[in-house]
């Protein structure tokens, strides 16, 4: 049977692992939305770790800063994704026009 201290130690290790995995995925992910989600999960796990360590002010600060960070990162990711989509559509239109010009020049 698990005692309270053993359960708490296991929970600390699991939360620390989630924080590390979230940070690694956030850094190595090429998809900006996935990186932001991983960063949010890591930040929330770190806040839970602070609350378990009986540091409620640090946990609350981490939650508030993490929430602001993730919301700004999502807005930036969406705006970058939209601008990239617009550029790819412009490139496709230019390629189609170039193909039509080549056909006209051959005739």
């Amino acid at each position: 049977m698990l005692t309270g201290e053993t359960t708490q130690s296991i929970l600390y290790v699991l939360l620390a692992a989630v924080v590390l995995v979230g940070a690694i995925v956030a850094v190595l992910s090429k998809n900006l939305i996935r990186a932001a989600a991983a960063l949010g999960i890591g930040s929330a796990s770190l806040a839970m770790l602070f609350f378990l360590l009986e540091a409620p002010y640090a946990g609350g600060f981490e939650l508030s800063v993490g929430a602001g960070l993730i919301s700004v990162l999502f807005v930036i990711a969406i705006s970058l994704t939209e601008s990239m989509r617009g550029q790819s559509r412009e490139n496709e239109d230019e390629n189609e026009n170039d193909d039509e010009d080549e056909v006209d020049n051959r005739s």
Side-chain angles (χ1 to χ4, degrees):
M1 187 126 199
L2 294 175
T3 63
E5 289 179 16
T6 307
T7 305
Q8 196 171 16
S9 297
I10 291 171
L11 192 56
Y12 287 146
V13 170
L14 287 175
L15 283 173
V18 170
V19 169
L20 285 175
V21 168
I24 290 170
V25 170
V27 169
L28 296 178
S29 180
K30 294 185 189 249
N31 184 349
L32 194 55
I33 301 292
R34 189 172 294 150
L39 194 61
I41 291 169
S43 178
S45 299
L46 185 61
M48 285 190 277
L49 197 57
F50 282 139
F51 283 119
L52 285 176
L53 291 170
E54 297 178 3
Y57 292 114
F61 182 75
E62 178 63 32
L63 280 177
S64 64
V65 168
L69 173 78
I70 299 306
S71 62
V72 168
L73 192 55
F74 270 120
V75 168
I76 291 171
I78 290 169
S79 65
L80 284 176
T81 305
E82 288 297 320
S83 68
M84 287 173 38
R85 283 185 185 164
Q87 288 177 356
S88 66
R89 287 182 186 152
E90 289 174 4
N91 290 338
E92 288 173 4
D93 291 340
E94 288 176 8
N95 290 337
E96 288 175 7
N97 291 337
D98 290 342
D99 292 340
E100 290 172 3
D101 290 341
E102 287 177 16
V103 172
D104 291 339
N105 290 336
R106 291 182 190 162
S107 320

